[in-house]
mmCIF file of all heavy atoms in Angstrom:
data_model
loop_
_atom_site.group_PDB
_atom_site.id
_atom_site.type_symbol
_atom_site.label_atom_id
_atom_site.label_comp_id
_atom_site.label_asym_id
_atom_site.label_seq_id
_atom_site.Cartn_x
_atom_site.Cartn_y
_atom_site.Cartn_z
ATOM 1 N N ARG A 1 12.674 10.004 -7.657
ATOM 2 C CA ARG A 1 14.025 10.387 -8.091
ATOM 3 C C ARG A 1 13.942 11.663 -8.916
ATOM 4 O O ARG A 1 12.957 11.887 -9.614
ATOM 5 C CB ARG A 1 14.646 9.287 -8.956
ATOM 6 C CG ARG A 1 14.625 7.901 -8.363
ATOM 7 C CD ARG A 1 15.677 7.593 -7.367
ATOM 8 N NE ARG A 1 17.017 7.772 -7.898
ATOM 9 C CZ ARG A 1 18.087 7.937 -7.142
ATOM 10 N NH1 ARG A 1 17.981 7.935 -5.839
ATOM 11 N NH2 ARG A 1 19.273 8.086 -7.676
ATOM 12 N N TRP A 2 14.991 12.477 -8.818
ATOM 13 C CA TRP A 2 15.076 13.680 -9.636
ATOM 14 C C TRP A 2 16.396 13.693 -10.396
ATOM 15 O O TRP A 2 17.381 13.099 -9.966
ATOM 16 C CB TRP A 2 14.939 14.950 -8.782
ATOM 17 C CG TRP A 2 16.062 15.184 -7.799
ATOM 18 C CD1 TRP A 2 16.138 14.695 -6.515
ATOM 19 C CD2 TRP A 2 17.256 15.931 -8.003
ATOM 20 N NE1 TRP A 2 17.301 15.097 -5.928
ATOM 21 C CE2 TRP A 2 18.023 15.862 -6.811
ATOM 22 C CE3 TRP A 2 17.763 16.651 -9.077
ATOM 23 C CZ2 TRP A 2 19.246 16.488 -6.677
ATOM 24 C CZ3 TRP A 2 18.990 17.273 -8.932
ATOM 25 C CH2 TRP A 2 19.719 17.193 -7.740
ATOM 26 N N THR A 3 16.377 14.344 -11.555
ATOM 27 C CA THR A 3 17.593 14.588 -12.332
ATOM 28 C C THR A 3 17.545 16.045 -12.786
ATOM 29 O O THR A 3 16.477 16.657 -12.845
ATOM 30 C CB THR A 3 17.705 13.662 -13.563
ATOM 31 O OG1 THR A 3 16.538 13.806 -14.365
ATOM 32 C CG2 THR A 3 17.858 12.202 -13.145
ATOM 33 N N SER A 4 18.726 16.575 -13.129
ATOM 34 C CA SER A 4 18.765 18.011 -13.424
ATOM 35 C C SER A 4 19.596 18.378 -14.643
ATOM 36 O O SER A 4 20.235 19.413 -14.661
ATOM 37 C CB SER A 4 19.290 18.770 -12.212
ATOM 38 O OG SER A 4 20.627 18.406 -11.944
ATOM 39 N N SER A 5 19.587 17.552 -15.652
ATOM 40 C CA SER A 5 20.368 17.926 -16.821
ATOM 41 C C SER A 5 19.644 17.493 -18.088
ATOM 42 O O SER A 5 19.388 16.305 -18.252
ATOM 43 C CB SER A 5 21.741 17.269 -16.762
ATOM 44 O OG SER A 5 22.540 17.671 -17.833
ATOM 45 N N PRO A 6 19.282 18.396 -18.951
ATOM 46 C CA PRO A 6 19.447 19.850 -18.877
ATOM 47 C C PRO A 6 18.289 20.538 -18.169
ATOM 48 O O PRO A 6 18.327 21.730 -17.900
ATOM 49 C CB PRO A 6 19.498 20.281 -20.337
ATOM 50 C CG PRO A 6 18.585 19.319 -21.021
ATOM 51 C CD PRO A 6 18.752 18.001 -20.262
ATOM 52 N N SER A 7 17.195 19.813 -17.861
ATOM 53 C CA SER A 7 16.057 20.392 -17.158
ATOM 54 C C SER A 7 15.842 19.598 -15.870
ATOM 55 O O SER A 7 16.500 18.592 -15.644
ATOM 56 C CB SER A 7 14.821 20.355 -18.053
ATOM 57 O OG SER A 7 14.618 19.045 -18.529
ATOM 58 N N LEU A 8 14.938 20.067 -15.028
ATOM 59 C CA LEU A 8 14.670 19.383 -13.763
ATOM 60 C C LEU A 8 13.515 18.406 -13.965
ATOM 61 O O LEU A 8 12.420 18.790 -14.377
ATOM 62 C CB LEU A 8 14.331 20.408 -12.687
ATOM 63 C CG LEU A 8 14.191 19.903 -11.259
ATOM 64 C CD1 LEU A 8 15.453 19.180 -10.799
ATOM 65 C CD2 LEU A 8 13.888 21.058 -10.322
ATOM 66 N N LYS A 9 13.786 17.118 -13.717
ATOM 67 C CA LYS A 9 12.791 16.075 -13.941
ATOM 68 C C LYS A 9 12.517 15.341 -12.633
ATOM 69 O O LYS A 9 13.440 14.975 -11.910
ATOM 70 C CB LYS A 9 13.295 15.085 -14.991
ATOM 71 C CG LYS A 9 12.324 13.944 -15.262
ATOM 72 C CD LYS A 9 12.713 13.147 -16.494
ATOM 73 C CE LYS A 9 13.617 12.023 -16.159
ATOM 74 N NZ LYS A 9 13.854 11.099 -17.295
ATOM 75 N N PHE A 10 11.228 15.149 -12.352
ATOM 76 C CA PHE A 10 10.779 14.388 -11.182
ATOM 77 C C PHE A 10 10.086 13.126 -11.665
ATOM 78 O O PHE A 10 9.142 13.192 -12.461
ATOM 79 C CB PHE A 10 9.783 15.198 -10.351
ATOM 80 C CG PHE A 10 10.369 16.426 -9.716
ATOM 81 C CD1 PHE A 10 10.257 17.662 -10.340
ATOM 82 C CD2 PHE A 10 11.027 16.351 -8.508
ATOM 83 C CE1 PHE A 10 10.784 18.797 -9.771
ATOM 84 C CE2 PHE A 10 11.569 17.476 -7.932
ATOM 85 C CZ PHE A 10 11.451 18.705 -8.553
ATOM 86 N N GLU A 11 10.546 11.973 -11.166
ATOM 87 C CA GLU A 11 9.881 10.692 -11.434
ATOM 88 C C GLU A 11 9.425 10.125 -10.102
ATOM 89 O O GLU A 11 10.256 9.763 -9.258
ATOM 90 C CB GLU A 11 10.833 9.716 -12.118
ATOM 91 C CG GLU A 11 11.114 10.071 -13.551
ATOM 92 C CD GLU A 11 11.829 8.952 -14.282
ATOM 93 O OE1 GLU A 11 11.214 7.891 -14.503
ATOM 94 O OE2 GLU A 11 13.000 9.159 -14.621
ATOM 95 N N PHE A 12 8.112 10.074 -9.907
ATOM 96 C CA PHE A 12 7.563 9.576 -8.650
ATOM 97 C C PHE A 12 7.621 8.055 -8.599
ATOM 98 O O PHE A 12 7.315 7.377 -9.577
ATOM 99 C CB PHE A 12 6.107 10.021 -8.497
ATOM 100 C CG PHE A 12 5.944 11.461 -8.110
ATOM 101 C CD1 PHE A 12 5.848 12.443 -9.084
ATOM 102 C CD2 PHE A 12 5.900 11.829 -6.779
ATOM 103 C CE1 PHE A 12 5.705 13.775 -8.729
ATOM 104 C CE2 PHE A 12 5.751 13.155 -6.414
ATOM 105 C CZ PHE A 12 5.658 14.131 -7.400
ATOM 106 N N SER A 13 7.986 7.516 -7.427
ATOM 107 C CA SER A 13 7.893 6.075 -7.194
ATOM 108 C C SER A 13 6.685 5.757 -6.320
ATOM 109 O O SER A 13 6.218 4.622 -6.283
ATOM 110 C CB SER A 13 9.172 5.546 -6.544
ATOM 111 O OG SER A 13 9.431 6.232 -5.339
ATOM 112 N N VAL A 14 6.168 6.770 -5.629
ATOM 113 C CA VAL A 14 4.941 6.658 -4.842
ATOM 114 C C VAL A 14 4.314 8.044 -4.772
ATOM 115 O O VAL A 14 5.024 9.053 -4.690
ATOM 116 C CB VAL A 14 5.201 6.080 -3.423
ATOM 117 C CG1 VAL A 14 6.068 7.017 -2.593
ATOM 118 C CG2 VAL A 14 3.906 5.772 -2.706
ATOM 119 N N LEU A 15 2.977 8.075 -4.806
ATOM 120 C CA LEU A 15 2.257 9.340 -4.691
ATOM 121 C C LEU A 15 0.912 9.049 -4.036
ATOM 122 O O LEU A 15 0.210 8.110 -4.432
ATOM 123 C CB LEU A 15 2.055 9.973 -6.071
ATOM 124 C CG LEU A 15 1.372 11.332 -6.102
ATOM 125 C CD1 LEU A 15 2.192 12.388 -5.356
ATOM 126 C CD2 LEU A 15 1.141 11.768 -7.552
ATOM 127 N N THR A 16 0.573 9.835 -3.020
ATOM 128 C CA THR A 16 -0.719 9.699 -2.362
ATOM 129 C C THR A 16 -1.461 11.030 -2.410
ATOM 130 O O THR A 16 -0.853 12.102 -2.411
ATOM 131 C CB THR A 16 -0.588 9.248 -0.892
ATOM 132 O OG1 THR A 16 0.066 10.269 -0.132
ATOM 133 C CG2 THR A 16 0.182 7.945 -0.773
ATOM 134 N N HIS A 17 -2.772 10.932 -2.457
ATOM 135 C CA HIS A 17 -3.653 12.094 -2.387
ATOM 136 C C HIS A 17 -4.674 11.811 -1.297
ATOM 137 O O HIS A 17 -5.379 10.798 -1.360
ATOM 138 C CB HIS A 17 -4.344 12.316 -3.739
ATOM 139 C CG HIS A 17 -5.216 13.518 -3.763
ATOM 140 N ND1 HIS A 17 -6.580 13.429 -3.907
ATOM 141 C CD2 HIS A 17 -4.921 14.839 -3.665
ATOM 142 C CE1 HIS A 17 -7.092 14.650 -3.894
ATOM 143 N NE2 HIS A 17 -6.105 15.517 -3.749
ATOM 144 N N ARG A 18 -4.669 12.655 -0.265
ATOM 145 C CA ARG A 18 -5.535 12.459 0.902
ATOM 146 C C ARG A 18 -5.355 11.073 1.515
ATOM 147 O O ARG A 18 -6.317 10.417 1.912
ATOM 148 C CB ARG A 18 -6.984 12.714 0.555
ATOM 149 C CG ARG A 18 -7.241 14.139 0.155
ATOM 150 C CD ARG A 18 -8.709 14.459 0.045
ATOM 151 N NE ARG A 18 -8.850 15.898 -0.071
ATOM 152 C CZ ARG A 18 -9.506 16.498 -1.039
ATOM 153 N NH1 ARG A 18 -10.109 15.790 -1.977
ATOM 154 N NH2 ARG A 18 -9.587 17.803 -1.070
ATOM 155 N N GLY A 19 -4.109 10.608 1.534
ATOM 156 C CA GLY A 19 -3.781 9.336 2.169
ATOM 157 C C GLY A 19 -3.992 8.103 1.311
ATOM 158 O O GLY A 19 -3.670 7.001 1.735
ATOM 159 N N GLU A 20 -4.528 8.266 0.121
ATOM 160 C CA GLU A 20 -4.778 7.137 -0.780
ATOM 161 C C GLU A 20 -3.720 7.110 -1.880
ATOM 162 O O GLU A 20 -3.438 8.132 -2.499
ATOM 163 C CB GLU A 20 -6.164 7.256 -1.423
ATOM 164 C CG GLU A 20 -7.312 7.258 -0.442
ATOM 165 C CD GLU A 20 -7.514 5.911 0.231
ATOM 166 O OE1 GLU A 20 -7.293 4.871 -0.430
ATOM 167 O OE2 GLU A 20 -7.882 5.907 1.420
ATOM 168 N N VAL A 21 -3.157 5.929 -2.131
ATOM 169 C CA VAL A 21 -2.182 5.782 -3.211
ATOM 170 C C VAL A 21 -2.899 6.023 -4.535
ATOM 171 O O VAL A 21 -4.002 5.506 -4.756
ATOM 172 C CB VAL A 21 -1.538 4.380 -3.182
ATOM 173 C CG1 VAL A 21 -0.622 4.168 -4.375
ATOM 174 C CG2 VAL A 21 -0.773 4.177 -1.879
ATOM 175 N N VAL A 22 -2.273 6.834 -5.400
ATOM 176 C CA VAL A 22 -2.852 7.153 -6.701
ATOM 177 C C VAL A 22 -1.909 6.659 -7.798
ATOM 178 O O VAL A 22 -0.720 6.434 -7.553
ATOM 179 C CB VAL A 22 -3.118 8.673 -6.851
ATOM 180 C CG1 VAL A 22 -4.147 9.134 -5.828
ATOM 181 C CG2 VAL A 22 -1.842 9.476 -6.733
ATOM 182 N N PRO A 23 -2.422 6.488 -9.017
ATOM 183 C CA PRO A 23 -1.549 6.085 -10.127
ATOM 184 C C PRO A 23 -0.420 7.112 -10.307
ATOM 185 O O PRO A 23 -0.624 8.319 -10.147
ATOM 186 C CB PRO A 23 -2.478 6.072 -11.335
ATOM 187 C CG PRO A 23 -3.848 5.881 -10.766
ATOM 188 C CD PRO A 23 -3.824 6.593 -9.444
ATOM 189 N N LEU A 24 0.748 6.614 -10.644
ATOM 190 C CA LEU A 24 1.896 7.495 -10.814
ATOM 191 C C LEU A 24 1.754 8.326 -12.079
ATOM 192 O O LEU A 24 1.399 7.800 -13.135
ATOM 193 C CB LEU A 24 3.188 6.682 -10.872
ATOM 194 C CG LEU A 24 3.501 5.862 -9.619
ATOM 195 C CD1 LEU A 24 4.765 5.054 -9.833
ATOM 196 C CD2 LEU A 24 3.637 6.756 -8.404
ATOM 197 N N PRO A 25 2.044 9.627 -11.968
ATOM 198 C CA PRO A 25 2.022 10.458 -13.173
ATOM 199 C C PRO A 25 3.238 10.162 -14.044
ATOM 200 O O PRO A 25 4.230 9.580 -13.582
ATOM 201 C CB PRO A 25 2.082 11.880 -12.611
ATOM 202 C CG PRO A 25 2.817 11.736 -11.317
ATOM 203 C CD PRO A 25 2.416 10.383 -10.778
ATOM 204 N N ALA A 26 3.170 10.591 -15.287
ATOM 205 C CA ALA A 26 4.349 10.529 -16.156
ATOM 206 C C ALA A 26 5.431 11.401 -15.535
ATOM 207 O O ALA A 26 5.135 12.300 -14.736
ATOM 208 C CB ALA A 26 3.982 11.045 -17.546
ATOM 209 N N PRO A 27 6.710 11.139 -15.856
ATOM 210 C CA PRO A 27 7.766 12.010 -15.337
ATOM 211 C C PRO A 27 7.438 13.483 -15.628
ATOM 212 O O PRO A 27 6.923 13.809 -16.706
ATOM 213 C CB PRO A 27 9.009 11.560 -16.106
ATOM 214 C CG PRO A 27 8.727 10.126 -16.432
ATOM 215 C CD PRO A 27 7.245 10.072 -16.708
ATOM 216 N N MET A 28 7.675 14.331 -14.652
ATOM 217 C CA MET A 28 7.394 15.764 -14.776
ATOM 218 C C MET A 28 8.702 16.490 -15.048
ATOM 219 O O MET A 28 9.653 16.381 -14.267
ATOM 220 C CB MET A 28 6.759 16.278 -13.496
ATOM 221 C CG MET A 28 5.429 15.640 -13.196
ATOM 222 S SD MET A 28 4.761 16.270 -11.655
ATOM 223 C CE MET A 28 3.188 15.451 -11.625
ATOM 224 N N VAL A 29 8.740 17.214 -16.163
ATOM 225 C CA VAL A 29 9.960 17.886 -16.603
ATOM 226 C C VAL A 29 9.715 19.394 -16.629
ATOM 227 O O VAL A 29 8.709 19.846 -17.181
ATOM 228 C CB VAL A 29 10.387 17.387 -17.997
ATOM 229 C CG1 VAL A 29 11.666 18.081 -18.452
ATOM 230 C CG2 VAL A 29 10.565 15.869 -17.995
ATOM 231 N N PHE A 30 10.650 20.143 -16.039
ATOM 232 C CA PHE A 30 10.511 21.595 -15.934
ATOM 233 C C PHE A 30 11.773 22.293 -16.412
ATOM 234 O O PHE A 30 12.881 21.842 -16.124
ATOM 235 C CB PHE A 30 10.281 22.015 -14.468
ATOM 236 C CG PHE A 30 9.079 21.382 -13.854
ATOM 237 C CD1 PHE A 30 9.191 20.234 -13.094
ATOM 238 C CD2 PHE A 30 7.821 21.934 -14.037
ATOM 239 C CE1 PHE A 30 8.083 19.641 -12.520
ATOM 240 C CE2 PHE A 30 6.700 21.349 -13.466
ATOM 241 C CZ PHE A 30 6.833 20.199 -12.712
ATOM 242 N N GLY A 31 11.585 23.419 -17.076
ATOM 243 C CA GLY A 31 12.683 24.344 -17.275
ATOM 244 C C GLY A 31 12.914 25.068 -15.957
ATOM 245 O O GLY A 31 12.001 25.169 -15.131
ATOM 246 N N VAL A 32 14.111 25.549 -15.742
ATOM 247 C CA VAL A 32 14.431 26.219 -14.481
ATOM 248 C C VAL A 32 14.855 27.648 -14.759
ATOM 249 O O VAL A 32 15.675 27.905 -15.639
ATOM 250 C CB VAL A 32 15.544 25.458 -13.723
ATOM 251 C CG1 VAL A 32 15.950 26.209 -12.466
ATOM 252 C CG2 VAL A 32 15.075 24.060 -13.368
ATOM 253 N N GLU A 33 14.254 28.567 -14.001
ATOM 254 C CA GLU A 33 14.601 29.975 -14.075
ATOM 255 C C GLU A 33 15.161 30.404 -12.729
ATOM 256 O O GLU A 33 14.895 29.772 -11.719
ATOM 257 C CB GLU A 33 13.361 30.816 -14.392
ATOM 258 C CG GLU A 33 12.656 30.433 -15.672
ATOM 259 C CD GLU A 33 11.364 31.209 -15.847
ATOM 260 O OE1 GLU A 33 11.281 32.357 -15.373
ATOM 261 O OE2 GLU A 33 10.446 30.649 -16.456
ATOM 262 N N GLY A 34 15.887 31.510 -12.729
ATOM 263 C CA GLY A 34 16.418 32.034 -11.480
ATOM 264 C C GLY A 34 17.716 31.373 -11.097
ATOM 265 O O GLY A 34 18.304 30.612 -11.868
ATOM 266 N N HIS A 35 18.157 31.660 -9.894
ATOM 267 C CA HIS A 35 19.405 31.092 -9.388
ATOM 268 C C HIS A 35 19.439 31.264 -7.874
ATOM 269 O O HIS A 35 18.583 31.921 -7.292
ATOM 270 C CB HIS A 35 20.606 31.774 -10.052
ATOM 271 C CG HIS A 35 20.672 33.239 -9.795
ATOM 272 N ND1 HIS A 35 19.935 34.141 -10.521
ATOM 273 C CD2 HIS A 35 21.360 33.949 -8.872
ATOM 274 C CE1 HIS A 35 20.180 35.350 -10.070
ATOM 275 N NE2 HIS A 35 21.026 35.275 -9.062
ATOM 276 N N GLY A 36 20.429 30.664 -7.269
ATOM 277 C CA GLY A 36 20.590 30.800 -5.818
ATOM 278 C C GLY A 36 19.466 30.132 -5.068
ATOM 279 O O GLY A 36 19.167 28.968 -5.293
ATOM 280 N N ASN A 37 18.804 30.888 -4.201
ATOM 281 C CA ASN A 37 17.779 30.333 -3.327
ATOM 282 C C ASN A 37 16.358 30.597 -3.808
ATOM 283 O O ASN A 37 15.409 30.431 -3.066
ATOM 284 C CB ASN A 37 17.965 30.878 -1.910
ATOM 285 C CG ASN A 37 19.288 30.429 -1.342
ATOM 286 O OD1 ASN A 37 19.680 29.276 -1.516
ATOM 287 N ND2 ASN A 37 19.995 31.322 -0.689
ATOM 288 N N ARG A 38 16.225 31.006 -5.061
ATOM 289 C CA ARG A 38 14.915 31.206 -5.685
ATOM 290 C C ARG A 38 14.939 30.519 -7.045
ATOM 291 O O ARG A 38 15.820 30.772 -7.870
ATOM 292 C CB ARG A 38 14.639 32.697 -5.843
ATOM 293 C CG ARG A 38 13.275 33.003 -6.361
ATOM 294 C CD ARG A 38 12.941 34.488 -6.089
ATOM 295 N NE ARG A 38 11.880 34.981 -6.943
ATOM 296 C CZ ARG A 38 10.595 34.735 -6.782
ATOM 297 N NH1 ARG A 38 10.204 33.970 -5.785
ATOM 298 N NH2 ARG A 38 9.696 35.226 -7.608
ATOM 299 N N MET A 39 13.972 29.613 -7.267
ATOM 300 C CA MET A 39 13.980 28.812 -8.477
ATOM 301 C C MET A 39 12.570 28.762 -9.052
ATOM 302 O O MET A 39 11.613 28.418 -8.352
ATOM 303 C CB MET A 39 14.465 27.393 -8.144
ATOM 304 C CG MET A 39 14.429 26.418 -9.286
ATOM 305 S SD MET A 39 15.280 24.847 -8.945
ATOM 306 C CE MET A 39 14.372 24.172 -7.555
ATOM 307 N N GLY A 40 12.449 29.101 -10.332
ATOM 308 C CA GLY A 40 11.180 28.978 -11.036
ATOM 309 C C GLY A 40 11.158 27.697 -11.840
ATOM 310 O O GLY A 40 12.098 27.396 -12.576
ATOM 311 N N LEU A 41 10.086 26.927 -11.680
ATOM 312 C CA LEU A 41 9.889 25.698 -12.451
ATOM 313 C C LEU A 41 8.856 25.997 -13.519
ATOM 314 O O LEU A 41 7.689 26.259 -13.217
ATOM 315 C CB LEU A 41 9.385 24.570 -11.550
ATOM 316 C CG LEU A 41 10.244 24.224 -10.336
ATOM 317 C CD1 LEU A 41 9.574 23.135 -9.521
ATOM 318 C CD2 LEU A 41 11.630 23.799 -10.768
#
């Protein structure tokens, strides 16, 4: 799931690396730069 107020946050419910399920990371929160079709995290 993602949310976008006031920053962009990603919370993984599943994550695999090379086909193997890995422990879920903490929610990842980013400031956002740019606008339109170009976005800096």
Side-chain angles (χ1 to χ4, degrees):
R1 308 280 302 160
W2 66 272
T3 56
S4 64
S5 183
S7 53
L8 187 56
K9 179 168 90 171
F10 294 95
E11 287 191 68
F12 284 90
S13 57
V14 65
L15 183 62
T16 65
H17 182 246
R18 296 190 168 126
E20 299 291 325
V21 175
V22 297
L24 299 177
M28 297 179 176
V29 180
F30 302 96
V32 176
E33 303 174 30
H35 61 278
N37 297 318
R38 185 163 160 77
M39 176 170 61
L41 304 177

